[in-house]
Amino acid sequence: MNAIVPINQDKKRKGLIGTVRTVASKTPKGMIPRIRRPQFEFAENDLPRYWWDNNPVKTLLLAAMSAGFPPGERFFIDSVRHYEKQITDPELKKAIKGFIGQEAHHSREHEMLNGFLQERGVDLARLENEILGFMNWMRKHLSPERQLAHTVAVEHFTALMAEEFLLKYDALDEMDPRMAPVWAWHAIEESEHKAVAFDVYRAVGGSEFARVTEMMLVSVLFPLFTSVHLVQLMKEDGQLTNMKAWGSTLNYMWGKPGVFRKLLPSYFKFYSPRFHPWNHDARDLVEKATQKWLGDWS
Ligand SMILES: [Fe+2]
Ligand SMILES: [Fe+2]
C-alpha cells in the first residue's frame, strides 16, 4: 500500500506566500461548515449486493467514487491547510476548521464503507491505492497553488454531484435505507463547505489561469479514472455484459431524467471570472435533506 507523502515544501514552489488579500466573498454570512460525528455501522450481511436501485452499474459507480474519497479528501485537507496560517479573516478561519473537520470525517467513514465493501468482494483497496499514488504524484510535483486549484475544481464537481444529483432527484430514495444516510450526509456537507477552498484560493491570490486549466484537467481525469474503475469493478463482478443495467444507467444519467446532462450548465459556470460556488444557493434542498436523512444528529 502506498504511504501518503507530505505536500511539497520546496521554497521555489511556494509562490503565493505573502500575497494574502481580503476579498469580498459571496459565501453567506455565518455559513460555517458544521462538524458532525456520525458513526455509521456497516455490518449488514443481508444488504443487497447492488444497493442502489438493484443496479450494478449505479452501485459500483458510487463504490468506485468511494474508493477515491479517503486519499482525495486527505489531499484536499492538506492543500487548504497549507495556507491556513496566512488567512486573517476570522469567518474564513472558522470555515477552514469546519471544512477540515468535515472532510476528515468523510475520509474516515468512507474508509469504513470501503472496508465493508471489500469484505463483500468488491476490490476497492486496489483502486484506493492507485488514486493515492496519483495524489502522491501531485503532492510531489505540483506547486501548492496548483494543488489548491485542484481542490477547488474537484470541490465544484462534488458540490454539483451533491446538490444537483443526489439531493435533487430520487437517488437517495432508490438506495437501500441502510446505505442512503451516509451518502445523504456526505452530500449535505459537500454543499455546506463548497466555497471554503475557493475562498482560500481567492484570499491567497490564486491565479485564474491555474483555476481554469486545473478544471480542464480534472474534467478529463475524474471521469476517465472513474469510468475505468467502474468497468474494472463490473468485470470483476461478472456484470460487464449486463446491457440492461448499462442501458438504464446511461438513460438515467444522460437521457431521462438526465441528471448529468442537466448539471452541465452549472459545470460550465465555473469557467466564468464571476464564478463563485454560492452563486448557486441550494440551502433549501440541503435543509430538507438534513431533516429527512440526518434527523436527530443534524
Ligand atoms: Fe467530502
Ligand atoms: Fe468537499
Side-chain angles (χ1 to χ4, degrees):
M1 189 83 176
N2 286 320
I4 295 177
V5 302
I7 195 165
N8 192 326
Q9 298 290 335
D10 182 347
K11 289 266 185 286
K12 281 178 281 190
R13 292 178 178 275
K14 282 192 172 169
L16 299 172
I17 301 290
T19 54
V20 178
R21 304 177 295 175
T22 303
V23 182
S25 165
K26 292 179 186 165
T27 301
K29 271 261 161 264
M31 188 66 226
I32 307 298
R34 175 154 165 232
I35 304 170
R36 303 171 180 89
R37 291 177 172 77
Q39 301 215 315
F40 295 106
E41 299 269 335
F42 301 109
E44 307 281 350
N45 288 327
D46 62 335
L47 187 82
R49 181 152 192 86
Y50 303 124
W51 36 265
W52 179 13
D53 200 21
N54 207 23
N55 181 319
V57 183
K58 283 174 160 179
T59 302
L60 294 174
L61 174 67
L62 285 192
M65 286 197 217
S66 184
F69 289 147
E73 290 174 321
R74 275 182 238 121
F75 176 94
F76 305 155
I77 290 172
D78 288 346
S79 67
V80 169
R81 197 178 259 152
H82 180 82
Y83 290 107
E84 190 180 7
K85 284 206 180 84
Q86 299 177 52
I87 300 297
T88 48
D89 176 357
E91 280 261 313
L92 186 51
K93 276 167 113 55
K94 275 192 230 160
I96 291 172
K97 293 263 179 286
F99 169 82
I100 290 174
Q102 287 190 339
E103 293 292 33
H105 282 280
H106 299 170
S107 182
R108 205 190 76 120
E109 293 300 318
H110 277 275
E111 218 153 67
M112 309 266 289
L113 172 60
N114 296 349
F116 167 69
L117 295 175
Q118 184 80 26
E119 274 174 27
R120 288 164 55 104
V122 186
D123 189 10
L124 298 185
R126 182 182 56 79
L127 270 53
E128 201 175 323
N129 203 34
E130 270 178 35
I131 295 166
L132 179 57
F134 178 63
M135 295 294 161
N136 278 344
W137 182 89
M138 290 200 291
R139 285 169 185 265
K140 268 194 213 156
H141 297 287
L142 301 186
S143 68
E145 177 194 16
R146 186 50 84 160
Q147 293 187 41
L148 185 58
H150 181 85
T151 299
V152 170
V154 180
E155 284 287 287
H156 183 53
F157 256 88
T158 48
L160 285 180
M161 301 275 286
E163 294 170 350
E164 303 213 22
F165 165 24
L166 283 178
L167 300 181
K168 197 164 176 179
Y169 297 96
D170 300 332
L172 294 165
D173 292 312
E174 289 173 356
M175 281 180 209
D176 184 279
R178 291 162 291 186
M179 212 42 122
V182 67
W183 293 95
W185 161 71
H186 198 160
I188 287 163
E189 296 195 347
E190 285 305 321
S191 177
E192 287 176 349
H193 73 228
K194 63 182 173 180
V196 177
F198 183 92
D199 285 343
V200 171
Y201 189 75
R202 275 279 154 85
V204 299
S207 77
E208 279 298 273
F209 176 77
R211 185 180 76 83
V212 164
T213 51
E214 195 57 31
M215 179 51 117
M216 290 171 180
L217 287 171
V218 165
S219 303
V220 174
L221 294 178
F222 183 69
L224 184 70
F225 266 116
T226 310
S227 307
V228 169
H229 285 159
L230 171 61
V231 167
Q232 288 171 343
L233 292 180
M234 286 289 281
K235 192 170 174 211
E236 286 161 15
D237 247 33
Q239 295 290 327
L240 195 58
T241 54
N242 185 338
M243 290 305 152
K244 196 173 163 228
W246 283 112
S248 76
T249 306
L250 283 174
N251 186 44
Y252 180 80
M253 301 301 183
W254 297 103
K256 256 189 178 176
V259 291
F260 282 179
R261 175 171 53 81
K262 284 182 182 163
L263 57 77
L264 284 178
S266 302
Y267 160 76
F268 282 111
K269 285 183 181 148
F270 187 87
Y271 294 99
S272 161
R274 289 184 299 281
F275 170 78
H276 187 277
W278 280 101
N279 288 346
H280 177 73
D281 193 338
R283 275 178 293 179
D284 280 2
L285 216 51
V286 168
E287 181 55 40
K288 266 188 222 142
T290 306
Q291 309 243 331
K292 180 171 175 180
W293 296 103
L294 306 193
D296 291 347
W297 54 273
S298 65

